Amino acid sequence: MGKIHLISQPEILLVDDTPEHIEAAVSVLRENNFRVRIATKGNTALKLIKQHQPDLILLDIYMPEMDGFEICEIIKSNSDFSSIPVIFLTASNDEESIKKGFALGAQDYVVKPFNISELLVRVNTHIKLKQQTQSLREANRELDSFCYSVSHDLKAPLLSISKLIEYLASDYLDKLDSEGQELINNIREKSMEVINIIDHLLEFSKMSEMQMQTEVIHLEQLFHKVYDELIKLQPKRQIKFNVKHLPDIKGDPVMIRLLVLNILSNALKYTRNRKKAIIEVTSSESESEYIISVRDNGVGFDMRYASRLFGVFQRLHSQNEFEGSGVGLAICQKILKRHHGKAWMIGEVDKGATFYFSFPKT
Ligand SMILES: Nc1ncnc2c1ncn2[C@@H]1O[C@H](COP(=O)(O)OP(=O)(O)O)[C@@H](O)[C@H]1O
Ligand SMILES: [Mg+2]
């Protein structure tokens, strides 16, 4: 798991229209055991990338028809190719171009005419980085699928155990003394807890693999709908629930529903000792993203431990005080990551907590 298989002959795509540059770079790279393909035009470069993905792209900036910036933008905006490292080839003291290249997502630049060892070090570094990122991603995927199989395989026997306990209780509970009855009830409760954890873990591991469907989601409506469902289970509570001007966003409807469900479940759970719970959902926006906040007046938490909140099984409250699996926020974070958003929380002991999430506009 997670082993890095170094490619023996990494392939580099050189995009340049000046014969001397091509010659200089190709000879150095081939001598050093790289395979090199050459494109002298943007269109050819894109065609070659689609045919077969290179391990790295060396990209000249000034070329007729399509310049290096344009090519870089196309590569970096395509999720199939965006992980290919791009190194710009620039003329010395061309600071504007260097800045622009980085802004477009390029990993590095090399100044022409090349210093051979510098070119080689940079190329090697970025190829290695890409391989390490890829193997980390694979390791993560393996962990998720391991988590899924374990939870999946444990669920069936756990359900049987829980059913057996129910049989036992319905046939024998009245034959037991009060101590025996209490024991059975404890076992019942614990087995429900474990099944709940397993269900959450299954959801958690599914979130990485699940194919995403994207559609417009009316967040304001969704918050109301999920709240109404949750509140049916605790009709006696006094709650002021306020939702203000939430945007429509584009996301996966199943995932976003689960996100809202987890956030509101927490807000309801951790305010349950309040005589009157207050839950307020509002939003703000910048040029590129929305920020949604869900504030409650519940028990809050100690900010010193805030970094733990989003980890699997991490809980800041005890099971006796507030039951839970500790997986809800980890699910939220995974869902937001898949939508290129972020999640964070702010809280103060006894003064309530606010869950924030950012969501890109496009
Ligand atoms: N609204 C909230 N107010 C106070 N603490 C919270 C709130 N939401 C989450 N937390 C803290 O974060 C921990 C992790 O949350 P979560 O992953 O949803 O697990 P769970 O709710 O099952 O315990 C909780 O155990 C709790 O300590
Ligand atoms: Mg929770």
Side-chain angles (χ1 to χ4, degrees):
M1 189 168 64
K3 230 187 264 160
I4 301 169
H5 302 285
L6 287 172
I7 311 166
S8 56
Q9 269 198 310
E11 185 177 301
I12 293 176
L13 178 66
L14 174 65
V15 190
D16 201 324
D17 65 331
T18 323
E20 306 93 78
H21 293 156
I22 298 176
E23 213 170 294
V26 167
S27 66
V28 172
L29 291 167
R30 291 208 171 125
E31 262 167 45
N32 284 277
N33 225 8
F34 292 99
R35 283 173 294 154
V36 187
R37 281 192 300 169
I38 300 157
T40 52
K41 276 190 201 153
N43 280 334
T44 324
L46 294 173
K47 220 182 273 165
L48 288 178
I49 294 169
K50 268 180 208 151
Q51 264 170 18
H52 180 241
Q53 279 198 28
D55 296 299
L56 182 139
I57 299 168
L58 286 174
L59 189 55
D60 186 24
I61 292 179
Y62 299 108
M63 286 179 294
E65 292 170 39
M66 194 189 284
D67 69 12
F69 296 127
E70 220 175 308
I71 301 172
C72 184
E73 202 169 4
I74 295 173
I75 294 168
K76 292 298 177 185
S77 61
N78 183 328
S79 60
D80 290 337
F81 308 130
S82 58
S83 66
I84 305 171
V86 171
I87 299 182
F88 268 111
L89 308 175
T90 103
S92 57
N93 66 39
D94 190 2
E95 258 184 51
E96 273 312 301
S97 300
I98 294 169
K99 242 202 247 161
K100 193 169 171 193
F102 279 135
L104 288 173
Q107 272 60 35
D108 212 341
Y109 67 91
V110 175
V111 173
K112 290 188 291 194
F114 321 119
N115 170 323
I116 292 176
S117 52
E118 184 190 333
L119 176 71
L120 286 174
V121 167
R122 290 188 196 262
V123 163
N124 271 319
T125 302
H126 289 290
I127 289 181
K128 208 185 228 168
L129 260 179
K130 184 192 172 213
Q131 286 168 4
Q132 282 171 341
T133 311
Q134 209 169 333
S135 72
L136 264 181
R137 215 171 270 151
E138 272 160 30
N140 251 333
R141 204 170 293 144
E142 267 180 60
L143 267 179
D144 274 329
S145 81
F146 174 74
C147 176
Y148 182 82
S149 354
V150 173
S151 333
H152 182 264
D153 291 355
L154 280 179
K155 186 161 180 188
L158 279 171
L159 282 176
S160 315
I161 292 175
S162 154
K163 231 180 240 153
L164 289 171
I165 299 165
E166 289 312 316
Y167 289 143
L168 188 67
S170 72
D171 292 355
Y172 294 95
L173 204 59
D174 51 2
K175 297 190 180 69
L176 293 170
D177 59 13
S178 64
E179 212 173 313
Q181 290 183 357
E182 201 184 320
L183 273 175
I184 294 239
N185 283 330
N186 281 343
I187 298 172
R188 240 180 180 169
E189 226 170 78
K190 288 291 159 201
S191 84
M192 305 260 267
E193 246 172 58
V194 181
I195 288 170
N196 181 37
I197 291 177
I198 292 287
D199 280 337
H200 275 107
L201 274 181
L202 274 173
E203 255 167 12
F204 174 75
S205 43
K206 262 193 239 162
M207 284 308 117
S208 320
E209 291 296 315
M210 206 169 122
Q211 281 278 343
M212 280 174 68
Q213 316 282 343
T214 307
E215 57 183 64
V216 174
I217 296 164
H218 309 294
L219 260 191
E220 201 164 315
Q221 236 169 298
L222 182 64
F223 266 95
H224 279 295
K225 215 167 136 199
V226 174
Y227 176 81
D228 290 344
E229 281 165 30
L230 286 169
I231 213 62
K232 272 190 203 136
L233 306 171
Q234 31 195 331
K236 293 215 177 91
R237 288 187 55 180
Q238 253 208 72
I239 302 163
K240 185 176 155 217
F241 180 62
N242 209 333
V243 183
K244 262 192 241 154
H245 313 303
L246 300 193
D248 292 346
I249 56 171
K250 271 190 216 133
D252 181 279
V254 177
M255 289 187 180
I256 301 298
R257 194 184 167 279
L258 193 56
L259 171 74
V260 172
L261 180 69
N262 274 303
I263 301 172
L264 284 181
S265 303
N266 281 347
L268 284 167
K269 177 160 63 178
Y270 296 101
T271 53
R272 113 180 132 200
N273 301 334
R274 295 291 185 248
K275 217 168 151 198
K276 183 167 185 192
I278 302 172
I279 298 170
E280 277 180 331
V281 191
T282 53
S283 78
S284 61
E285 64 185 287
S286 69
E287 204 178 301
S288 57
E289 61 186 16
Y290 297 110
I291 292 176
I292 317 293
S293 66
V294 184
R295 191 158 63 99
D296 67 57
N297 67 335
V299 292
F301 60 87
D302 189 334
M303 274 306 275
R304 275 180 299 175
Y305 309 116
S307 62
R308 289 202 208 145
L309 291 169
F310 291 88
V312 177
F313 295 146
Q314 298 281 0
R315 310 196 62 225
L316 302 186
H317 296 88
S318 72
Q319 201 65 240
N320 297 335
E321 225 185 330
F322 294 99
E323 72 296 333
S325 64
V327 187
L329 288 184
I331 292 177
C332 291
Q333 192 173 50
K334 204 166 243 192
I335 291 172
L336 284 163
K337 251 190 203 155
R338 290 208 59 185
H339 287 86
H340 308 289
K342 286 201 180 77
W344 65 100
M345 268 191 101
I346 287 178
E348 195 179 335
V349 174
D350 230 26
K351 297 240 166 87
T354 309
F355 182 102
Y356 291 93
F357 68 93
S358 67
F359 208 94
K361 281 187 172 172
T362 46

